[in-house]
Amino acid sequence: MPEPKLSSLHPGDSAIIRAISAEEGLHHRLLALGFRIGKEIHLIRRAWFSGPLQVRIGMTEVIMRRSDADKIRVSHQTTR
Amino acid sequence: MKCIALLGMPNTGKSTFFNRFTGASARVGNWPGITIDLMAAKIPLGGKVVRVVDLPGIYDFHGFSEDEKVVRDFLENNQVDLLLIILNGAQLERQLSLALEARQLGLPAVLLLNMADEAKRAGITVDTEKMAAHLQMPVVWVSAKYGDGFKSASSVIAKALAASPPTDPAKLRDNLRADDEIEAAMEKIMDEAVQIPKTMPKSMTASLDRILLHPLFGLPLFFLIMFLLFQFIFTLGKPMQDGMAWVLAQARNLGLEPLLASVPAWLQGLLLDGIYNGVGTVAAFVPVIILFFLVMTVVEDSGYLSRAAFLMDALMARLGLDGRSFVMLLMGFGCNVPALMGTRIMRSRSLRLLTMLVIPFSLCSARLQVFLFLITAIFTAHAAPFVLFSLYLLSFATALLTALLFKGRFSSTEPFIIELPPYRLPTTRQIILRAWHEVRHFLKRATKFITFGVVAVWVLTHVPGDVPPASAGTLAGHISAVLAPVLSPIGIDAQLSVVLIFGFVAKEIVIGSLAAVYGLEGDSLMGLMAQKLDWVQAYSFMLFTLIYTPCLSAVATLRNESKSYAFMWVSIAWSLLLAWVVSFVFYQGARGLGF
Ligand SMILES: Nc1nc2c(ncn2[C@@H]2O[C@H](COP(=O)(O)OP(=O)(O)O)[C@@H](O)[C@H]2O)c(=O)[nH]1
Ligand SMILES: [Mg+2]
């Protein structure tokens, strides 16, 4: 079974990034924002009407669309 | 002359540092992507004059968006003697990569860890010596906003500048291709030199976000906040505007009239009734505009704009735009030109074009002056703020409608990922710098466009001199006779139609030239407008003014940024058409309902 997508986390969940399957440009931007395999990521909130997600990675908070979050696979979810 | 360039990721305080370091007034905002062009200033440093350049933010040297390309082009084509790399000291775990890239590329650099204040609050400590040894470049803590660490930074910079050989742009071009190893080196330094606490200290930002980004209340709160801000500007601005108008009238009665008593009547008419009244009527709004920009500065710097992007993205996505487009619309409230340039942060051309197509509908501060003038003249003090707010809502509505209609032609799959900065309050210094910047901008426009437009309108309405001013016999009368079939169905009369032609150049001309047409200013001009127009006509005129076109500068920017005349003409034609249709529906509808 493939690992869950980042977009499937619930607010308050933490997970570890396992794979990033984005095209060149997005991949670069993600790397620069601190998205690296093995790093812990924390989902803070989800906007309604399938709006963006707010996540924290290290000290950086980022908002991203669900469709982009779909490209990031994370390990099994833990709830803090 | 030696050249220093500021380099860093977006929103790390480069422009703030630049302003403090050089005494210039680059625009600062808590939004990644505020600096889109190069800013340069010359300052004395270590006994010599050096040039300092503020570059747009880049995430790394291999970026692909327009703003990142600007940086790369600059570095590949200019010899730079020293790079000042500015990182957010509270986000080193990801930003350090930029310093490592610079080292790998062999660029002479000093590393400034900015936001010392925030890093300290977050409990982050850095062994700068260890870091400097790893990076082979000096490392200094500063707080660009509050000025801490500037003395030592300045001397470190001066020393490094004296020692370093300049960059070799040609070699840099080659080297930029190789960028391995960065990941590993970064991790190593983070491990050895930086300590970050395991859990984040409870921050104000998190608590504020819980309220302001609330899934249900976030959006209503956003509109409430907007409304209150405009109410605030309106309530406080009105007496300021009255006071300024009074001062200008006194200056005319007591100073200029006696002084010009001996010049010929026509010249006196042109100078006093034309230019002075025209420019003066516009100048009366300067205090309100300053107030407006003070509020804008606080909003832009607060970090709330990125929250607005979060709140609106779901809606914007359905219109083919994204949260950043919405933020550009909000920035357009100040002036459409920087908002149009701000679209450079978008990589997809379609998304950029679609956003540029909607920005001109954003109710900019120049249009605000026209509306403040007419609303105060025609509506009761009680109704006024609501009338103004309705125009802001319509400005959004027309923008969104445009996106909806055109999204099919400009479809894109651009990812939407932006940083969410913590909430920040600007310092008084930042606020004042910004306000001063805007006043200067206004004075520049005043001398360039407004005087020209006012004189032109005065001439059109006063030549030939043997018929009453602004009557059917004047040049203006002939022009408006041609336009009448188009403009009378939307309730716009002859004099107003001439004014609208010049409003195309700059909206400030609209009220300036009304003053020139009638030779009146301030209260007496407002009184006359109230006599001439009922509220339906006035609102129809305002709708048309809001939508029909931005100003000449915005049109020129649109053409430059899109690099397409066709796109520019589409934008102009569409806004003219939409303006007419909206005004027509409103005017005939209201008349049909018996108003
Ligand atoms: N707390 C704090 N905020 C800062 C500091 N320097 C800049 N800022 C804020 O960071 C934001 C981004 O600044 P700006 O100069 O526009 O960044 P740029 O995009 O790198 O040019 C603004 O809100 C500044 O007021 C600092 O030393 N401490
Ligand atoms: Mg900047």
Side-chain angles (χ1 to χ4, degrees):
Chain A
M1 194 188 93
E3 278 151 335
K5 294 171 178 170
L6 171 59
S7 50
S8 68
L9 296 189
H10 298 290
D13 285 353
S14 292
I16 306 288
I17 297 183
R18 289 304 174 203
I20 300 176
S21 49
E23 78 282 358
E24 171 80 9
L26 177 59
H27 198 91
H28 244 97
R29 183 56 52 100
L30 286 171
L31 275 183
L33 283 166
F35 286 74
R36 289 193 174 72
I37 293 171
K39 277 205 136 191
E40 180 171 338
I41 188 162
H42 182 74
L43 191 108
I44 303 176
R45 62 172 57 78
R46 318 164 60 103
W48 280 15
F49 307 111
S50 20
L53 311 176
Q54 181 185 357
V55 298
R56 191 178 68 236
I57 182 149
M59 295 285 293
T60 307
E61 287 193 8
V62 172
I63 56 184
M64 61 195 311
R65 274 204 185 147
R66 287 175 200 205
S67 52
D68 300 318
D70 281 346
K71 298 170 183 152
I72 299 170
R73 298 279 175 177
V74 294
S75 72
H76 290 102
Q77 315 166 12
T78 52
T79 311
R80 264 207 285 229
Chain B
M1 189 185 317
K2 290 209 170 184
C3 174
I4 299 182
L6 297 185
L7 191 85
M9 294 197 187
N11 212 29
T12 52
K14 291 177 300 301
S15 298
T16 311
F17 180 87
F18 177 80
N19 287 344
R20 190 178 281 281
F21 194 55
T22 65
S25 65
R27 189 157 164 198
V28 169
N30 201 359
W31 163 257
I34 272 264
T35 307
I36 34 230
D37 249 333
L38 306 180
M39 279 277 293
K42 287 173 190 146
I43 54 157
L45 187 75
K48 291 219 178 68
V49 178
V50 295
R51 198 159 70 98
V52 185
V53 184
D54 180 24
L55 298 172
I58 53 167
Y59 284 104
D60 63 289
F61 284 92
H62 301 266
F64 300 96
S65 62
E66 288 281 307
D67 49 333
E68 286 172 321
K69 267 190 229 134
V70 170
V71 177
R72 189 147 163 190
D73 282 350
F74 178 84
L75 292 174
E76 287 183 351
N77 295 303
N78 294 278
Q79 226 181 38
V80 175
D81 295 280
L82 185 66
L83 282 178
L84 296 185
I85 301 176
I86 302 195
L87 305 185
N88 178 345
Q91 297 183 336
L92 288 176
E93 85 275 13
R94 74 177 171 87
Q95 300 207 340
L96 206 52
S97 57
L98 202 59
L100 281 159
E101 284 190 47
R103 188 198 69 179
Q104 195 196 32
L105 292 166
L107 300 169
V110 168
L111 178 58
L112 301 171
L113 305 179
N114 190 27
M115 316 224 177
D117 51 312
E118 286 188 2
K120 194 168 156 196
R121 238 178 295 137
I124 296 172
T125 57
V126 174
D127 183 339
T128 48
E129 269 170 34
K130 213 174 233 171
M131 190 180 268
H134 274 290
L135 291 170
Q136 295 153 16
M137 62 178 80
V139 179
V140 207
W141 272 112
V142 288
S143 170
K145 186 167 172 180
Y146 300 101
D148 307 343
F150 259 67
K151 270 231 173 69
S152 63
S154 282
S155 70
V156 169
I157 292 167
K159 214 156 83 200
L161 188 63
S164 70
T167 57
D168 178 351
K171 207 170 124 208
L172 180 67
R173 226 167 299 156
D174 297 336
N175 285 347
L176 267 176
R177 286 173 194 133
D179 73 325
D180 310 333
E181 289 173 33
I182 284 189
E183 296 288 297
M186 177 157 148
E187 232 138 81
K188 187 157 181 249
I189 302 178
M190 287 306 297
D191 270 2
E192 289 182 12
V194 182
Q195 277 86 47
I196 298 174
K198 266 268 166 299
T199 53
M200 296 246 294
K202 263 225 168 331
S203 71
M204 188 196 61
T205 291
S207 340
L208 265 177
D209 273 347
R210 243 194 311 280
I211 304 167
L212 294 176
L213 295 183
H214 190 280
L216 189 57
F217 304 123
L219 264 187
L221 263 176
F222 170 78
F223 284 105
L224 182 68
I225 291 173
M226 297 297 284
F227 178 71
L228 290 179
L229 286 179
F230 288 121
Q231 175 96 358
F232 170 79
I233 295 172
F234 199 84
T235 322
L236 211 69
K238 184 72 183 56
M240 292 163 78
Q241 177 195 331
D242 292 345
M244 188 78 175
W246 184 84
V247 169
L248 289 166
Q250 293 301 312
R252 174 183 172 148
N253 293 338
L254 302 179
L256 288 173
E257 274 178 8
L259 201 69
L260 293 175
S262 55
V263 304
W266 70 267
L267 183 60
Q268 197 182 4
L270 174 62
L271 289 178
L272 282 179
D273 293 338
I275 298 180
Y276 187 78
N277 273 2
V279 176
T281 306
V282 182
F285 286 91
V286 170
V288 190
I289 295 306
I290 297 178
L291 186 67
F292 174 83
F293 277 105
L294 294 183
V295 172
M296 274 296 272
T297 308
V298 176
V299 173
E300 270 179 21
D301 209 46
S302 67
Y304 191 48
L305 287 184
S306 313
R307 270 75 187 178
F310 177 82
L311 292 171
M312 291 296 284
D313 185 64
L315 174 62
M316 301 310 273
R318 285 168 179 80
L319 299 171
L321 299 167
D322 71 19
R324 293 173 300 177
S325 316
F326 183 72
V327 171
M328 291 306 147
L329 271 179
L330 291 180
M331 286 197 179
F333 282 172
C335 175
N336 289 180
V337 171
L340 286 168
M341 292 175 39
T343 59
R344 288 183 194 170
I345 55 175
M346 299 168 177
R347 278 180 47 211
S348 142
R349 179 164 165 87
S350 318
L351 178 61
R352 243 194 110 182
L353 288 182
L354 191 58
T355 307
M356 286 202 272
L357 201 60
V358 305
I359 287 175
F361 298 107
S362 183
L363 195 168
C364 66
S365 59
R367 277 170 264 189
L368 175 65
Q369 294 175 24
V370 181
F371 300 155
L372 283 177
F373 178 83
L374 281 175
I375 290 175
T376 341
I378 313 271
F379 293 89
T380 62
H382 193 73
F386 292 93
V387 176
L388 183 61
F389 194 60
S390 75
L391 287 167
Y392 275 103
L393 292 182
L394 276 165
S395 147
F396 273 138
T398 46
L400 302 190
L401 174 72
T402 301
L404 190 67
L405 292 178
F406 283 87
K407 73 170 181 183
R409 298 198 165 274
F410 298 100
S411 68
S412 75
T413 51
E414 167 122 344
F416 170 69
I417 298 189
I418 58 171
E419 270 181 79
L420 209 54
Y423 289 102
R424 295 177 177 130
L425 271 182
T427 60
T428 332
R429 192 187 122 94
Q430 284 174 328
I431 300 184
I432 290 172
L433 260 177
R434 176 76 194 282
W436 165 233
H437 192 77
E438 295 306 331
V439 174
R440 223 174 35 185
H441 181 73
F442 171 83
L443 294 177
K444 248 194 227 149
R445 281 174 72 99
T447 42
K448 231 178 29 201
F449 294 136
I450 305 175
T451 319
F452 154 76
V454 166
V455 170
V457 171
W458 189 88
V459 169
L460 285 181
T461 48
H462 288 73
V463 172
D466 50 3
V467 295
S471 67
T474 58
L475 293 178
H478 296 306
I479 298 178
S480 38
V482 177
L483 292 175
V486 182
L487 293 181
S488 53
I490 61 175
I492 293 177
D493 70 5
Q495 284 94 23
L496 288 182
S497 55
V498 179
V499 165
L500 275 180
I501 298 179
F502 287 91
F504 181 80
V505 177
K507 291 291 172 296
E508 288 91 338
I509 299 179
V510 170
I511 44 174
S513 45
L514 276 178
V517 170
Y518 298 110
L520 295 172
E521 59 171 347
D523 285 345
S524 33
L525 182 59
M526 286 197 183
L528 182 75
M529 297 318 298
Q531 258 175 36
K532 274 176 51 83
L533 304 174
D534 65 3
W535 75 268
V536 178
Q537 275 172 306
Y539 200 79
S540 177
F541 178 74
M542 290 196 287
L543 282 177
F544 196 78
T545 309
L546 168 66
I547 308 170
Y548 82 118
T549 154
C551 59
L552 205 55
S553 324
V555 169
T557 311
L558 203 67
R559 141 82 198 118
N560 283 340
E561 295 296 314
S562 66
K563 302 189 180 66
S564 154
Y565 277 107
F567 180 74
M568 179 190 89
W569 288 114
V570 166
S571 164
I572 295 177
W574 165 244
S575 7
L576 280 172
L577 177 71
L578 184 63
W580 192 84
V581 170
V582 170
S583 299
F584 181 79
V585 169
F586 169 79
Y587 185 74
Q588 297 298 339
R591 286 287 186 249
L593 291 174
F595 286 108

